[in-house]
Amino acid sequence: MKSPFPGMDPFIEGCGLWGDFHDALIQDIKNALAQRVPERYLVRTGERGYVVLASDEGKWPRSFIPDVTVTSTRITSESEGGVATAVPTTEHGPYSLRAPIEDEFRETFVEILDADNASRLVSCIEVLSPSNKKRNSPGWDLYQRKRQGLLQGGTANLVEIDLLRGGDQMPMVDPWRASPYRLLVARKSRVPVCSVWSAFSLQPVRSIPVPLLKPDPDVPLELQPMIDAIYARAFYHRSIDYAKPLTPPMDAEETAWLAQQRQDRERQK
């Protein structure tokens, strides 16, 4: 079954399917490029990983429900010695403390390598994850270092695919145009100037060029057929409730369009 959206389905992100979708899209991009690039190139997936303590900055990404009630305490200090003592409200009984929990993140990407020149990196294709779009997080910091290295070094091309509505936009000198999704191609010969396209839910996501080495022409990357194929073969419609409100919310046009689509489908049953 196809998604009701002709472009990127925002409910993939909103209904907790992003991790599965991201992995599938990376593999489809790799396979599509491997079939289309000349023989002098290699197409490989790479991975970066990091560990975050769930208690960092006092923020707990997981819900935590203690199995016992926390015993409240009152902290007093001696007037002269300055030694703090805890006066419990109960003499006996357990109380709860939260232990630090490590969350491990792994982010995959696609690389095109020049097999004739010691596997030199030619182009890197990144599909942004929520962790890349959370400012001042380890995922943000790691990706920004890689992004700046590619943009400033001028050693390889960068293709950046942002199909997430949530999170912070990537830093740019000029403002992004208003759109829920963004596609960027940074050619090493033109940085800091980048080619950028807006993408939407109600319009098919366009094809974007993946640069190679001269004189080889760009390879077109057809994103919308991949999005549609992943949705269909993973049966995402079984996990998506299109009556559910989204965060961030859809705009008025998208909301009205989806309501009409749901009405039309109900009539066809």
Side-chain angles (χ1 to χ4, degrees), residues 72-114:
S72 63
T73 62
R74 179 168 54 88
I75 304 299
T76 63
S77 63
E78 297 179 357
S79 59
E80 295 184 2
V83 179
T85 61
V87 181
T89 57
T90 57
E91 293 184 2
H92 305 288
Y95 60 97
S96 295
L97 294 177
R98 293 180 296 181
I101 301 172
E102 291 184 346
D103 278 337
E104 184 176 9
F105 291 85
R106 295 189 178 277
E107 299 167 352
T108 54
F109 48 88
V110 178
E111 293 182 333
I112 299 178
L113 309 170
D114 181 6

Side-chain angles (χ1 to χ4, degrees), residues 41-62:
Y41 299 100
L42 301 173
V43 182
R44 300 287 186 262
T45 52
E47 181 181 82
R48 58 180 169 268
Y50 55 94
V51 174
V52 179
L53 285 180
S55 58
D56 280 358
E57 301 176 358
K59 298 176 182 178
W60 292 81
R62 294 190 183 93

